[in-house]
Amino acid sequence: MFQGLQRSKVPEVTLIFWFIKILATTLGETGGDAVSMSMNLGYALSSLIFIGIFVFAVIAQISAKSFHPFLYWIVVVTTTTAGTTMADFADRSLGIGYGGGASLLFLLLLASLGFWYWSQGTISVNTITNPAVETFYWISILFSQTLGIALGDWMADTNEFGYEMGALVFSAGLVAIAAAYFWTNVSRTLLFWAAFILTRPLGATLGDLLDKPRQEGGLAFSRYYASAILAAAILACIAFLPQRAGSHAAELDASRS
């Protein structure tokens, strides 16, 4: 019955997906800081470098004919590293602060999702099967990652929560989203994007917890060392934990008929 129906270009959203996503966002924090701070390249130049890598990676992803886990997660990591330096540039270099940076990025994300919905009639990840929709998807992913890091920094640095408490707050938010998924009829698409945004500040606070100085509440790990460990963990998960392409919307409709 499903023969000839397309599969999505993104992975099925499972517990494995979210676990790797959190590792990737944590790597984005440590890796982005390693380039912008440890290498002293600054936020603007680092952002340009990471955006360039993102563009190259996303072109390869969109050009692929089917779902490839390694390629998909490479693109996600580029969005997290670019998001880290872009958020720091907006928050600090532009002088608009964490609140201003988060508000600006939230508006950009809403604009991206709104234009996607206006063009396609949906923002569901079950429709990622053609270049136009996938382009909307990755632009929205980039803005959501950048918004997430801004929220994480805002929570940890300006509200006196610290990195550990910030991680607990965002974890609680994800638990609430999971509860809504299992016990309510709230839109699954809305819950996906809410969870995708909140996993980014969770990764940001975990990354800061790893590499910030002890006097600032961190564990003082080298950014390079922390990044290498996280990258190895992601590669191991991709290699050994099964992932498959998500179901296309047409397939889901057919399965219900």
Side-chain angles (χ1 to χ4, degrees), residues 80-98:
T80 66
T81 49
T84 295
T85 55
M86 288 168 61
D88 287 339
F89 179 77
D91 295 341
R92 300 164 188 173
S93 299
L94 292 182
I96 58 178
Y98 292 119

Side-chain angles (χ1 to χ4, degrees), residues 209-214 218-226 229:
L209 177 63
L210 289 174
D211 64 26
K212 294 300 182 184
R214 294 185 184 276
L219 298 176
F221 283 109
S222 162
R223 293 186 178 106
Y224 303 116
Y225 182 65
I229 292 176

Side-chain angles (χ1 to χ4, degrees), residues 4 25 45 47 49 62 76 98 115 148 204 210 227 239:
T25 59
L45 180 57
S47 295
I49 292 172
I62 292 175
V76 171
Y98 292 119
F115 191 70
L210 289 174
S227 298

Side-chain angles (χ1 to χ4, degrees), residues 177-202:
I177 291 172
Y181 177 85
F182 286 110
W183 293 306
T184 74
N185 293 321
V186 174
S187 166
R188 277 20 186 178
T189 298
L190 175 63
L191 292 177
F192 170 84
W193 285 108
F196 206 96
I197 292 170
L198 284 186
T199 50
R200 185 61 183 94
L202 174 59

Side-chain angles (χ1 to χ4, degrees), residues 17-18 21 25 29 54 72-73 75-84 86-87 101-113 116 123 125 135-153 170 189-204:
F17 172 90
W18 292 116
K21 167 64 165 58
T25 59
E29 181 68 17
F54 163 73
Y72 174 84
W73 288 109
V75 183
V76 171
V77 170
T78 66
T79 65
T80 66
T81 49
T84 295
M86 288 168 61
S103 299
L104 173 63
L105 293 164
F106 181 65
L107 290 175
L108 289 172
L109 175 59
L110 286 182
S112 174
L113 292 173
W116 179 2
I123 55 173
V125 296
T135 299
F136 285 123
Y137 173 80
W138 286 114
I139 292 173
S140 300
I141 291 295
L142 179 62
F143 285 141
S144 71
Q145 302 278 42
T146 310
L147 171 61
I149 179 63
L151 290 174
D153 286 345
F170 291 119
T189 298
L190 175 63
L191 292 177
F192 170 84
W193 285 108
F196 206 96
I197 292 170
L198 284 186
T199 50
R200 185 61 183 94
L202 174 59

